[in-house]
Amino acid sequence: MPASKPELRRSVTPWGSFSWGYSDVGADIFVGLGLVLAAAAGATNVAFLFAGIVYVCIGLAYTELAATYPVAGGGQYFVLRGLGDIFGFIAGWAVLLDFTIDVTLFAWTCVDYMSQLIPAFTGSLHPWVHFGVTLGLIVGLALLNVIGVRESTAFNGIVSALDVVSESLILCFGFLFAFRPELLLHTMHVSWPSPYHLMLGTSLAIISFVGLESISQAAQETQRPASIIPRTSISLILTILIFALAYSNLALGMQPWHPIHDAAGHPMQFWQIFPNNGDNQGKAVALLAAQIPYFGAIAALYVPLLGAVLLLISSNSGIFGSSRIAYAMSRSNLLPSLFQRVHPKFRTPAVSIAAFCGVAILELLFASFPSLYPGAMTLYAHFFRHETGLDFLADLYAFGAATSYSFVFLALIALRLNDPLSPRKFKIPFNLPIMVKGERAEFPLVAVIGFFGIFSILVFTLFTHPIGRVAGPSWLVLGLVAYFIYRRRRNLPVLGSEQRNWRAQQTDILRDAGELELMDEYIANVKASDARKAAALPQ
């Protein structure tokens, strides 16, 4: 009898599920705050608010879908099941772009935060050192992920707990001793941006909320996922939303403890130190914390270090997410079977980890090239309006997320109509009861709001980001060409979908997840539906 094929280990606990999401989304404010302040100026809090509303809709949609279909793959699996193979591939390929950017972007800003304590890591002063340390972090995390998810989860859990406490302390001291409401209103009044810069800021603000799908990516390795995921997801949604809105308002309404001056000696408000300064944009939270009275002297020592570690685990979650989504896409015949090979000893998708870390390193090379080789600056300036490496990574990050999330909302609507029999442990509110093919279904109104919100951010991204509107669609076209070749060689439908027994698959999913009560409920729903349809047939 042949040995059973090794599969992913179900070892992620409730705190592990939260920390996987927090390690990805929680670190985003460390990256996004400086970028949005530089773009949206006095409307930074408005940009975060709009992106935050869209994010809540996204979070609710992922919570319902991940609890209903607890398998590895997240958004691409939901889109595959709701809309078909090719759309599942597009959604998965777009989010793969995000996860590879995640690896590079957060390793990059991790080094930026460390540069607050170690000036030799400052990118503009020592680009080769910055590049070498970033590359070393990516390679090291790849090896950690090959060793095992349990080790990675434990690492994430400890740092996430420290960061939640630290970010809360920064906000408490900041609002108590540095925040002035009248200064916030004054800044919003005199520094309101142009419509172009408000759209630019909003498209960048969405990157502060990207990564919630990390929870659903780990669903196949989470214990009792249908019960745990709703709790961890809702907790994460509220935590991140509060942090993003609080930090953006504090930054605009903060009277600097230490006077801030520009190169000419003119006094500046805190938010004015970010435009045209990539070094500052990459470590905004550390700079903000250092300006807070009483707490700032201590924060200046440990916040850069804590931020660097949190960004490191966020980079780590990018490796985890990209490998798991590639694994899931391979199992659905959207990618070659090579990507579902599991290491015989560590039971991790080692091939997927190596492949997409390789893509992340290529992105690092492209982003770093102008600083490593000044002769390339002219070329980049001609085609990309002087965008920096950090801008390039943020552009692609926003594009991939907005594309994938747009399809996830459509998939949620389709699954509500096509699969009303699957029990939903969590359901997003505000639904419209309708009948579809003799079955009672509920049309999700929030999904429609969320779709138009995220689609508008996708339009903003294409309109305001020169590199994003070139590199993002190019990534999709490249992937589709490879997809067509692969499917044709396997004699699989190129534009259509494979025949799948979704009922049997859903039963297996719930059984494997240990959700036996939901499995029994699903089987009962199917039998009752079949009986109703048989009774309705003419005798």
Side-chain angles (χ1 to χ4, degrees), residues 58 60-62 64-66 68-69 73-92 402-420 422 424 428 442-444 446-448 450-451 454 502:
I58 295 168
L60 293 174
Y62 265 95
E64 176 177 327
L65 290 167
T68 306
Y69 310 103
Q76 70 83 27
Y77 179 82
F78 309 143
V79 177
L80 166 75
R81 188 156 177 164
L83 303 176
D85 288 12
I86 190 167
F87 294 107
F89 173 81
I90 294 172
T403 303
S404 179
Y405 291 161
S406 297
F407 280 105
V408 167
F409 280 121
L410 295 177
L412 173 64
I413 295 170
L415 287 168
R416 280 286 193 90
L417 302 182
N418 297 334
D419 184 27
S422 288
R424 285 163 169 78
I428 60 176
E442 293 179 291
F443 186 85
V446 171
V448 177
F451 172 78
I454 193 65
W502 291 121

Side-chain angles (χ1 to χ4, degrees), residues 270-302:
F270 175 75
W271 59 271
Q272 292 173 314
I273 66 174
F274 296 99
N276 304 316
N277 191 321
D279 289 334
N280 282 342
Q281 291 171 16
K283 50 190 178 187
V285 174
L287 294 173
L288 183 146
Q291 298 297 322
I292 297 174
Y294 311 115
F295 180 66
I298 300 172
L301 297 176
Y302 87 90

Side-chain angles (χ1 to χ4, degrees), residues 228-266:
I228 288 175
I229 286 175
R231 283 182 277 160
T232 55
S233 291
I234 298 299
S235 302
L236 184 63
I237 291 168
L238 294 176
T239 303
I240 299 304
L241 184 65
I242 291 170
F243 279 168
L245 295 178
Y247 271 99
S248 57
N249 281 287
L250 177 60
L252 294 180
M254 192 171 80
Q255 177 66 34
W257 183 30
H258 301 295
I260 300 175
H261 297 88
D262 63 11
H266 300 130

